[in-house]
Every structure is written in structure tokens, then in C-alpha cells.
Amino acid sequence: MTKVFGIEEIRAATASMDLTSVMEAGFVAYSDGKVVVPPVGELLFEEPPGDTHIKYGYIRDDRVFVIKIASGFYGNAALGLPSSSGLMLVFSQKTGFLESVLLDEGYLTNVRTALAGRIAARYLAPKVVKAIGVFGTGTMARMQVTYLSTETDCQNIVAWGRSDDSLRRYCDDMAALGYHVTTTRDAREVAEACNLIIMTTPSTKPLLMASQLQPGTHITAMGSDTPEKQELDSLILARADIVVADSLEQCLSRGEIFHAVRAGHIAAAQVRELGGLIRAGTRVRTSQDQITVADLTGVAVQDIQIAKAVCERLSS
């Protein structure tokens, strides 16, 4: 019989789970060639603006396979609705039967993305973070920062946003969690103050330019998850000492690496994959002046791993 789990059950289960090692194991399996991940299925909408991604796959010799549907509609705030929604379907890899439906409303996608940001910082961020720069003011702009608490004790945030109202709400929410937040509409102020920068917007035009970047900066970029989206000036990747993809194959068709390769600023051979960094188990930086970039486009293995773990906890 198919089990159906709702958002409250899912939130309660994940609250007591440490999923970092689960996510790391998934990235390693992916980079080791043990995961089958077809190209992303997607629907792109113009009016209102939004997109729906279908990500699916399986780990060889595993028990299940997973299909995830996740949507982001960026005008939903005006309707009093969250921008994200979705669900995950967990099937038996032995019989093909549907075992579980996770009605997570996009929550697990947010969690696995925040975990990927944590992992990227673990291997790439400077040892001492003086301030965290955040482009965006939505759910991911919040979660990425709070999930970094395992990697840095930095409480200083410089937040960039498109509107004063959204920046004010972000400032109030993060201040309630103990962070000191400075807000700005000027990307240069973020780059000058911060050596760890997180990009979380659905922008289709670069927001941060190579000329603004300071030595020793790490950037985790995750907003650019379709071919149309771009948050970074491609020359940033050309200037970077280390560029990392969650999936090199996927990042050659979407994300910041896609734009930089297409522009001829970097070659695919220069890009390292996150799973390889995790397997090596050590920080990648050899100098605190190095510039590093992690391009996180979201890989189905992340959905597989978090869906499996949550289903096991809810079924126990």
C-alpha cells in the first residue's frame, strides 16, 4: 500500500535528522558514476514568471528510485503564497510500484539545497568568515545562512535585495535569530564587506561583477538553475582559482558554469565536481587569497538521498 506523508510529518521528521552525511554520500556516489540521472525536465512560464522542474533518477543497486516535481513562481508573494511547491514520489527499484508520496510542498528541495550550500562551504570557504553576503531575501536566503552555522560562527550578514520592504522583512527575521544584518541595494557593498557570498535569486542578468570581487572570496551560487538564469558575471569564474560543480554534466547545460563555458571564459576541464572534493575529505583552498565558486544547480541524487532518509524515518 502506498504511504502518503504530509508537510507537518515531514518537517517533524527532518527536525531531528542530521542529513549532511546522507547528502555527502549522494554527491560521492554521483561523482563515482553510481547514479543514473537523466536530463532535467522543465517547464518555463513567462506570465506569471515561474518554472517547474522534474528531477529523477536512481542509485545503482539501491532499493528505490525517486521522481521529484518542484515549482517556483516568483510572484506568489503578492498573493500571500510561498514561491515554492512540489512533491516527491518514491518507487521500488525492484518492482516499480509506488511506495511513498512525500507532499513536502517544496520543503525537502529547500533543505537539500541548503545542505549542499553547507557542504560547499565546508570544503571551499575561508577559515575565517568576516561577513556573509546574501543576494536575495527569500526562503533560501534565510536557510543558506542558518545552515552555515555548523561551518562558521559568523553572525554578520550583508543582504542585497530588490525592494526595501523585502530587505526590511529579511533583516527583522534574521535579527530575531541573532544575526546582525546590514541591507543594501548596491552589489559592490556586498563584495567589499564579505568573503563568503551566497547567490539565491532567479535573476536572468548578472548581479555581481568580477571587478567588484575581493581576493579570498568564496561564492556559492544556486539561483541559476535554468539556462536562462544567471547571477554572476562569467568573468568571475575566469578569475576564480577553483570552480566546482555539483554535476559537471548538468552545469554544462545550465547555471553559472554553462554561461562561462559558452562565453569562452573557462573550459569544462577546469571544473571540479563536489563529490570528488568530499571523497578527498579536505579543504580545497591552499591560500586564503584564493577565489572559489561553487555552482549548485540541484542534482536528482540529492532528492533521492533526502527522500529515502525521510521515508525510512517516517516508516520506522
Side-chain angles (χ1 to χ4, degrees):
M1 182 180 294
T2 302
K3 298 177 181 178
V4 180
F5 301 107
I7 181 62
E8 296 306 324
E9 294 174 282
I10 293 167
R11 283 183 181 274
T14 57
S16 60
M17 299 173 69
D18 181 4
L19 293 162
T20 306
S21 60
V22 169
M23 204 57 53
E24 287 189 323
F27 281 123
V28 172
Y30 180 82
S31 291
D32 285 346
K34 298 178 180 179
V35 186
V36 176
V37 175
V40 177
E42 62 189 3
L43 299 170
L44 305 178
F45 303 93
E46 295 180 0
E47 191 57 44
D51 51 69
T52 294
H53 287 170
I54 305 169
K55 295 184 177 180
Y56 53 107
Y58 64 93
I59 300 172
R60 299 181 193 278
D61 301 317
D62 202 1
R63 198 183 65 78
V64 300
F65 67 93
V66 175
I67 299 173
K68 190 274 293 286
I69 303 172
S71 295
F73 279 71
Y74 309 110
N76 279 3
L79 303 174
L81 298 172
S83 60
S84 300
S85 62
L87 56 82
M88 295 187 180
L89 306 172
V90 182
F91 297 82
S92 167
Q93 200 177 125
K94 306 303 179 185
T95 67
F97 278 82
L98 178 63
E99 293 187 349
S100 301
V101 179
L102 296 172
L103 299 174
D104 71 307
E105 301 177 16
Y107 173 72
L108 291 178
T109 294
N110 290 336
V111 171
R112 60 82 148 155
T113 305
L115 286 166
R118 171 189 288 175
I119 293 165
R122 176 170 296 179
Y123 294 98
L124 291 164
K127 288 183 179 179
V128 177
V129 178
K130 58 184 181 180
I132 301 168
V134 183
F135 281 77
T137 56
T139 299
M140 197 45 52
R142 291 161 166 77
M143 291 181 68
Q144 284 293 327
V145 174
T146 57
Y147 272 61
L148 285 177
S149 63
T150 60
E151 310 307 315
T152 176
D153 59 4
C154 180
Q155 298 287 297
N156 298 318
I157 303 172
V158 181
W160 177 97
R162 296 188 185 277
S163 76
D164 292 336
D165 286 344
S166 64
L167 283 168
R168 190 178 304 111
R169 288 193 297 270
Y170 182 81
C171 183
D172 291 344
D173 290 347
M174 299 307 288
L177 297 175
Y179 292 93
H180 178 266
V181 184
T182 302
T183 61
T184 183
R185 304 284 293 278
D186 186 347
R188 187 177 298 277
E189 292 184 3
V190 180
E192 289 178 350
C194 306
N195 61 344
L196 195 165
I197 299 175
I198 305 164
M199 311 296 298
T200 73
T201 79
S203 178
T204 57
K205 296 180 180 179
L207 303 174
L208 185 64
M209 308 306 293
S211 60
Q212 298 168 329
L213 215 56
Q214 305 297 311
T217 300
H218 168 68
I219 302 171
T220 296
M222 70 203 61
S224 179
D225 59 357
T226 71
E228 291 75 21
K229 296 177 187 175
Q230 182 178 9
E231 297 184 283
L232 301 179
D233 171 13
S234 291
L235 287 173
I236 288 176
L237 280 74
R239 187 179 168 191
D241 299 281
I242 302 166
V243 178
V244 173
D246 51 4
S247 159
L248 177 56
E249 180 179 3
Q250 190 165 289
C251 286
L252 291 176
S253 65
R254 64 193 61 239
E256 307 300 340
I257 291 169
F258 162 68
H259 291 290
V261 170
R262 186 174 63 170
H265 294 318
I266 63 169
Q270 296 173 251
V271 179
R272 303 171 71 171
E273 210 163 61
L274 185 55
L277 272 59
I278 297 167
R279 191 193 311 105
T282 58
R283 284 180 176 266
V284 181
R285 283 176 174 267
T286 57
S287 164
Q288 289 306 298
D289 288 334
Q290 287 181 315
I291 292 173
T292 57
V293 177
D295 189 11
L296 306 179
T297 56
V299 191
V301 71
Q302 298 170 250
D303 304 309
I304 296 166
Q305 288 292 88
I306 199 167
K308 280 197 311 178
V310 169
C311 283
E312 288 170 7
R313 173 62 63 91
L314 289 170
S315 299
S316 62

